[in-house]
Amino acid sequence: MYYVLAKYWWFKKYPQAELDDPGDTKYLGITVGHDWDDIVVQEIEANGAE
C-alpha cells in the first residue's frame, strides 16, 4: 500500500531533486564510488575559495 502511494502519488507531487540531478555533489548520500578529494576540491572552487 505504502509503495503504491509513494510511487504514484507522493513522488509525483514532491519530486526528489537528488533523483532529478544525480550528478550534483550536494547529495552526499549518492556519492558512492566518487573520489572524495575531487568532490571537496569542486566544492571549494564553486564557493570561490582557495
Side-chain angles (χ1 to χ4, degrees):
M1 176 80 174
Y2 292 114
Y3 173 79
V4 173
L5 283 175
K7 182 171 179 143
Y8 295 106
W9 176 70
W10 184 262
F11 294 129
K12 300 276 186 205
K13 187 172 183 175
Y14 303 104
Q16 296 177 313
E18 61 270 18
L19 296 178
D20 293 338
D21 188 14
D24 196 341
T25 58
K26 291 187 294 189
Y27 311 109
L28 296 179
I30 58 172
T31 58
V32 176
H34 290 262
D35 185 1
W36 281 96
D37 290 333
D38 289 343
I39 291 172
V40 172
V41 168
Q42 289 173 1
E43 187 70 26
I44 290 171
E45 289 173 352
N47 291 331
E50 291 186 20

